[in-house]
Amino acid sequence: MHVTIDNAWWLWGAVGIAALKGWMMVAARGRSWRWRTACVLLPTAAAVVMTLAMAGITVGWEPAAKRVVMLLDLSGSTRGCPWRGKGGGGGNWLRGLAELRLGSEKEVTVVGFGGQNGVRVLLDGVKAGDAGSWPSEWSWNDEGGGSDVGAALAWRSEEERREGVVWPRWVLTDGFVTGAKKAQGLQSPPPLPGFIGVTEIASPEVDVGVLEVGGRKAKDGVDIWAHVRATGKTEARLTVLRDTNIVVAGQPVFFDGEGSKWINVHDGEASGEGEGGGHRYEVKIVRAPNADPWPENDVGSFLWMPEDEKGRVLVVGDGGIVGNEFMRGKMEPGNFPRSTGELLAEGWQVIVLNDVEAQKFSGHAVKVLEEFVRDTGGGLVMVGRRNAFGPGRYAEELGGKLEELSAVWSAPRERPAARVVFVLDASGSMNEVAEGQLMAERKFRLVARGVESAMELLKDDDLVTVLTFNNQAEKVAAGRKEELVGSEPRPSESDRATNLLRNALDQVQPTGGTVPDSALELVAEALGENKPRAKDTPPPMVVLLTDGEIPAMDVSKWKLALQKAGAKMTVVAPPSQSSDAVLGQLAKEVGATWLNGENAGAWAGLLKRALAEELMGRAMTTELRWKSDDEKLTGTTREWIEVWKKAESKLVASSDDRCLAATAQRGLGKVSAVAMGSEKGGEGDALLTRIIKESMPAAGDRRFTLSVRREEEEGGGGWIVRADGIETGKFLDGEKLTMRVVDRGEQRVIDMQQTGAGRYEARVDGGEAFAGVVIRKKGGAKDGIQLVGRILPGKTEVGEWPASVEKKAEFLPPTEKISANETDRRKWKPRIWRWRMDLSRGFWVLGGLLALSSLWVRRGPMGRVRS
């Protein structure tokens, strides 16, 4: 055990106060003991104890281990530290420190780390006081490599491994280290047996380094930014070169102390004529006067590629529709990319569906389209002349997803209530299992499913009647759509209790013969014969479905009932009945639409199609004059489709009260609809060009720069996505940023964490490349979101420069921090010696208690002290 006193001259003060107390006690012999205790003894005792606290008395014990391992940081950033020794002598300095701290007889092993040498034993088992065994300087190559203190702490000698012990470790470093997070036992308190601590000695030389550089497109060139850091107060000069041509020469950069600065430089002469169509920029830091102790991190460079002046447009279908104003690609619907990441990787900004029917797409392709628009800010333009929207079955196929995504409706939303009568075959053959089905579904169950699916095209106030027939007819359900199935487009199985139509259809038991005439009276009643229809009310619709031949039918009575009500009829039946059979004769007499219903698996789609033929907008060939919303464009079209603008959409082109083009916001992106064609070179082409340009994704928030790097871990690790934000020289702090990964099956949303001034990071698991976007939440939820930028696979990965100034180890345990200019090593007070007790705080507490006791004796329960 040993006692150390940091400020010994305070002890003379304690002796003087003690002597004064003795004299005062003698002089106060005529006073009471209570008075002398309160006024002399306790106050002077408090003063003596506080003086001892000022002296800095410490009681310590030497480490019990026979040897101490000194881990010596010999990376390039420690060149100015005293153990490196300018002109030699670094070894002698370290030996003097070891002898002072550990004693002459303590054995020491010195292990160096950092630079290209990794971890290496410099001295093994020498005594701290044996001057002849210590070298005057260290032979060490410090170029390149980091200061991996984690690897140094993981080092074990052969003797330690053999005996199963760990000797105390003492780290000497300048603090610019890496890898400490990987070292077991670097949390506080250190769990390593006999761990002594860390001594951090600041180098007298100041390093200035480039942490990273980058550039962003400006209105008239390129804005280059550099993140520069210094380890102390200094002046440096910054030079920027473009393809070896100087853009900025010797711009001064001042540092008031340790810290970092963002420097912004504008290059107004950048073009796309450099390396690979871009430019190689270099940012160089030069210390004044033209010297830097560690030049490894003085240069950062990056390749800037100009953005395409032409937007990149992918046309699905005939590619000739898009003009030369854009970079065009052409693709068939069946070859549509399997992931949003593929679209991003190719740089497509707008997708144009050129008169494409819904059935040519897969459900997965529509999901990718929706993600591309909503989640990445891409544009989607749906163009229709004959085969899109209503004729293209956007509301029927693929669960109506294209209809939901579109900026227009394929059917009018404000039309008067329609009347629909379903007449369904419920004979014995409908109880049979349908052929060609993966599931053993009975025919009538497929019919019931088709009726429910068809209801999705109806409005809540449309009137629906469902009749079944065999030898006799039965009214299964009747009423407004909302009353029968609710307001949801497709009620779920859990809604069975409130879905009256489903319950009623489940009760039907097919049996008997096929006699449709038995339903004639109920059909006439449901159609409301001789009742006048309101203006613009759709004609009543009768949809008859059967699976087999009908032996007899009173064609004249059916024809009369339909004519009285002004009803239209659709027949879903096998084609064998459409020629000589009585059902075929009826269809011919009333002009009914015949849908081939031979395959029971297609009944659901056919029943929906039967309603769509009457409710959905049609392709038209009549001449129509149109004008744009700003009235700058006008033209004539002879190919157009009836569509209706959605409430949230903006009208772009119209003809009187007809919507011909509209656009709507969908998440981050925009979707547009153009429901007309045009002659080549006409005003219609100009309108489409304008709409495509307006659908181009936003450039993102140019105040942020995005980068992504792979984690260097076994097994591939993951990716670190980083957003650095700065505006007018100030860091953007407190932002709410979210990383969205969009091309790995189910979308993942990861909140980015702020890790420094203006810096936000998120970790993406997995070793494969990925694509995604970074989103900024603008204030409260009602203010929405804003695109910060896109992460494109293979195009945003950046390297890290060997910037020693970036590697400050904030995760090291509490250390003693001293200046290299302080030569009196006896004043250094290590804070975490394993066997050390600083008595100063105890003395301060005791002195305070004595002072309070004096006051308590004088004015407490004992009453005022009298002489």
Side-chain angles (χ1 to χ4, degrees), residues 114 131 158 167 214 273 314 325 430 538 578 851:
E158 291 296 331
W167 297 327
E273 301 176 357
L314 176 63
E325 299 89 346
M430 296 295 287
S578 62

Side-chain angles (χ1 to χ4, degrees), residues 334-354:
N335 299 326
F336 199 74
R338 295 289 300 171
S339 73
T340 312
E342 294 180 46
L343 294 173
L344 291 181
E346 294 298 325
W348 299 121
Q349 297 171 292
V350 176
I351 310 297
V352 176
L353 306 186
N354 185 15

Side-chain angles (χ1 to χ4, degrees), residues 5 7-16 51-52 55 57:
I5 302 174
N7 303 302
W9 60 272
W10 278 101
L11 295 180
W12 291 108
V15 172
T51 305
L52 293 175
I57 300 175

Side-chain angles (χ1 to χ4, degrees), residues 495-789:
D495 296 331
R496 185 177 295 276
T498 58
N499 190 336
L500 300 180
L501 177 61
R502 179 175 295 165
N503 288 334
L505 289 170
D506 285 348
Q507 301 301 316
V508 175
Q509 297 295 327
T511 185
T514 308
V515 186
D517 285 351
S518 63
L520 186 57
E521 184 177 345
L522 292 178
V523 170
E525 178 186 331
L527 290 176
E529 290 183 3
N530 301 322
K531 291 182 180 179
R533 294 203 319 270
K535 184 180 179 181
D536 298 330
T537 300
M541 289 171 276
V542 175
V543 182
L544 187 148
L545 183 147
T546 182
D547 70 330
E549 294 185 6
I550 296 176
M553 196 173 183
D554 194 330
V555 174
S556 59
K557 286 186 177 181
W558 277 91
K559 180 179 179 180
L560 181 62
L562 293 171
Q563 288 178 343
K564 282 184 177 181
K568 293 188 175 182
M569 188 175 189
T570 300
V571 176
V572 180
S576 58
Q577 298 192 48
S578 62
S579 53
D580 298 331
V582 290
L583 187 56
Q585 295 176 18
L586 173 62
K588 185 176 181 180
E589 289 286 337
V590 300
T593 301
W594 191 284
L595 301 177
N596 178 10
E598 189 169 21
N599 181 5
W603 285 349
L606 294 175
L607 288 173
K608 202 170 187 179
R609 173 98 301 247
L611 268 60
E613 290 286 348
E614 301 300 329
L615 297 175
M616 296 292 129
R618 294 173 171 81
M620 310 294 284
T621 56
T622 56
E623 184 175 290
L624 196 67
R625 293 283 301 172
W626 60 268
K627 62 181 179 180
S628 63
D629 56 332
D630 57 7
E631 299 187 354
K632 292 183 179 180
L633 294 173
T634 59
T636 302
T637 180
R638 294 175 180 82
E639 288 184 326
W640 54 283
I641 298 175
E642 293 177 306
V643 294
W644 290 264
K645 184 181 79 72
K646 292 185 176 181
E648 73 275 13
S649 300
K650 174 188 173 184
L651 191 66
V652 177
S654 60
S655 176
D656 296 328
D657 58 345
R658 294 184 183 277
C659 169
L660 291 175
T663 184
Q665 194 73 27
R666 295 284 183 267
L668 293 173
K670 185 178 291 186
V671 61
S672 303
V674 182
M676 64 176 178
S678 65
E679 297 178 1
K680 190 68 176 176
E683 295 297 326
D685 291 339
L687 177 68
L688 179 61
T689 298
R690 171 195 153 186
I691 289 175
I692 292 176
K693 288 182 177 180
E694 292 177 352
S695 301
M696 287 287 170
D701 194 334
R702 295 191 180 275
R703 302 174 303 166
F704 289 90
T705 299
L706 298 184
S707 62
V708 58
R709 62 179 173 84
R710 187 186 292 275
E711 285 185 320
E712 295 183 1
E713 293 184 3
E714 295 182 3
W719 302 82
I720 300 297
V721 178
R722 192 166 73 194
D724 291 299
I726 187 172
E727 183 179 31
T728 62
K730 295 182 179 180
F731 295 111
L732 293 173
D733 293 331
E735 299 289 338
K736 298 179 179 178
L737 303 183
T738 300
M739 171 68 202
R740 294 184 178 180
V741 182
V742 297
D743 70 330
R744 288 181 176 175
E746 184 177 354
Q747 184 181 138
R748 288 183 289 165
V749 178
I750 307 168
D751 290 334
M752 302 191 76
Q753 304 298 321
Q754 185 166 359
T755 59
R759 173 166 294 178
Y760 303 83
E761 290 187 354
R763 184 183 188 277
V764 179
D765 295 327
E768 298 180 359
F770 70 97
V773 294
V774 174
I775 307 300
R776 172 176 171 257
K777 298 179 181 178
K778 297 165 57 180
K782 65 178 181 180
D783 295 327
I785 56 178
Q786 174 184 345
L787 177 69
V788 172

Side-chain angles (χ1 to χ4, degrees), residues 75 111 143 242 252 263 684 722 730 737 768 812:
S75 61
V111 176
E143 298 293 337
R242 176 199 347 108
I263 294 99
R722 192 166 73 194
K730 295 182 179 180
L737 303 183
E768 298 180 359
L812 284 174

Side-chain angles (χ1 to χ4, degrees), residues 132-362:
S133 300
W134 290 72
S136 60
E137 57 183 321
W138 313 105
S139 175
W140 193 269
N141 182 0
D142 57 27
E143 298 293 337
S147 307
D148 195 343
V149 71
L153 284 169
W155 175 87
R156 297 291 183 269
S157 68
E158 291 296 331
E159 190 173 351
E160 284 178 305
R161 291 193 182 97
R162 185 171 58 252
E163 297 180 2
V165 298
V166 179
W167 297 327
R169 260 57 176 174
W170 184 4
V171 182
L172 282 90
T173 179
D174 63 347
F176 299 116
V177 298
T178 59
K181 286 182 178 177
K182 299 179 181 179
Q184 183 179 4
L186 260 188
Q187 289 79 29
S188 181
L192 286 175
F195 186 87
I196 294 180
V198 178
T199 298
E200 182 180 314
I201 302 179
S203 172
E205 298 190 64
V206 177
D207 180 23
V208 181
V210 178
L211 298 186
E212 52 191 331
V213 295
R216 52 174 70 88
K217 173 71 175 175
K219 291 183 179 179
D220 57 344
V222 181
D223 286 331
I224 302 104
W225 56 262
H227 193 189
V228 182
R229 185 178 177 90
T231 60
K233 184 176 181 179
T234 189
E235 175 190 347
R237 295 191 175 274
L238 178 140
T239 298
V240 180
L241 298 96
R242 176 199 347 108
D243 303 327
T244 70
N245 298 314
I246 296 178
V247 177
V248 173
Q251 175 177 320
V253 183
F254 299 94
F255 290 91
D256 296 330
E258 180 181 341
S260 63
K261 291 182 179 294
W262 290 82
I263 294 99
N264 289 283
V265 175
H266 180 70
D267 181 13
E269 299 182 5
S271 66
E273 301 176 357
E275 177 184 344
H279 296 288
R280 172 68 60 180
Y281 282 93
E282 280 192 351
V283 178
K284 295 184 177 181
I285 287 290
V286 179
R287 275 284 309 284
N290 298 324
D292 192 317
W294 307 297
E296 299 92 348
N297 54 16
D298 289 349
V299 179
S301 65
F302 69 98
L303 179 64
W304 175 79
M305 299 297 294
E307 298 176 2
D308 292 332
E309 294 184 4
K310 295 183 176 182
R312 294 181 60 83
V313 178
L314 176 63
V315 182
V316 181
D318 182 8
I321 189 173
V322 176
N324 294 327
E325 299 89 346
F326 307 100
M327 296 287 291
R328 296 167 296 175
K330 182 177 178 295
M331 180 177 293
E332 293 301 320
N335 299 326
F336 199 74
R338 295 289 300 171
S339 73
T340 312
E342 294 180 46
L343 294 173
L344 291 181
E346 294 298 325
W348 299 121
Q349 297 171 292
V350 176
I351 310 297
V352 176
L353 306 186
N354 185 15
D355 209 31
V356 179
E357 303 96 323
Q359 55 264 41
K360 290 188 177 181
F361 275 100
S362 66

